Amino acid sequence: MDCIFCKIVSGEIPAKILSKTSQSISFLDAFPLAKGHVLVIPKNHHQKIQDMSSDENADLFSLVHKIISRVDSLTGSTLLAVHNGKDAGQEVPHVHVHLVPRSSSDSAGAIHNMFDSELKLTESEIDELHHKLKD
Ligand code: AMP
Ligand code: ZN
């Protein structure tokens, strides 16, 4: 598997590791969007969140929970992001949670700034989605 994050897990390529659990590790992003941009990943290779076992998922997010206060202390606000799949903007196909310190002077804005226009759905489209996605 030619995966850059698997190589970080195995120690084949270096990274500024911050913390490890039995199933997850966190390290500094090598091309940070802000000072203190951190990634948290499962040790096992999975492309998407739903490919992980619920145990791995719980371990991953407990490490996010541990690290978030450290990252958040840098600026007082943090963006958490997961690009879950290639078309969602995922460039490294190994699950990773971004923790990016934010500030009022950065250019990122709110989540709605990521998209050019807002969708206007009909009532029936909303009902159909509700039916499709609910328990
Ligand atoms: P994404 O675009 O959501 O797949 O994010 C991949 C992230 O991995 C980007 O923020 C990159 O800067 C980061 N990245 C790529 N290569 C490395 C590396 N060798 N060490 C640490 N972070 C990396
Ligand atoms: Zn991998």
Side-chain angles (χ1 to χ4, degrees):
M1 173 71 66
D2 191 27
C3 170
I4 207 158
F5 288 173
C6 284
K7 287 179 180 167
I8 287 175
V9 171
S10 69
E12 216 177 308
I13 63 167
K16 297 289 186 192
I17 308 273
L18 302 173
S19 191
K20 291 183 185 182
T21 65
S22 58
Q23 299 185 79
S24 314
I25 66 167
S26 61
F27 52 91
L28 292 178
D29 195 293
F31 308 96
L33 295 168
K35 283 183 184 169
H37 182 171
V38 166
L39 299 174
V40 184
I41 71 169
K43 287 181 177 173
N44 287 331
H45 183 91
H46 300 291
Q47 180 173 10
K48 291 184 169 187
I49 294 263
Q50 62 269 38
D51 301 334
M52 292 188 290
S53 67
S54 46
D55 209 40
E56 285 177 300
N57 183 60
D59 189 272
L60 180 77
F61 281 94
S62 72
L63 186 52
V64 170
H65 185 256
K66 178 179 172 182
I67 296 292
I68 187 76
S69 46
R70 297 186 203 169
V71 174
D72 204 74
S73 71
L74 298 173
T75 63
S77 291
T78 310
L79 170 72
L80 274 122
V82 177
H83 296 278
N84 204 45
K86 195 171 187 293
D87 290 345
Q90 185 178 18
E91 291 179 322
V92 177
H94 182 131
V95 171
H96 49 285
V97 183
H98 291 267
L99 281 64
V100 186
R102 293 288 311 273
S103 66
S104 56
S105 59
D106 69 32
S107 55
I111 190 169
H112 282 242
N113 292 7
M114 288 177 71
F115 295 79
D116 285 341
S117 59
E118 289 196 17
L119 266 187
K120 290 272 177 274
L121 298 178
T122 63
E123 275 304 316
S124 70
E125 285 175 317
I126 293 167
D127 287 345
E128 194 184 324
L129 283 166
H130 184 209
H131 184 73
K132 198 171 177 179
L133 298 177
K134 71 180 182 178
D135 281 348

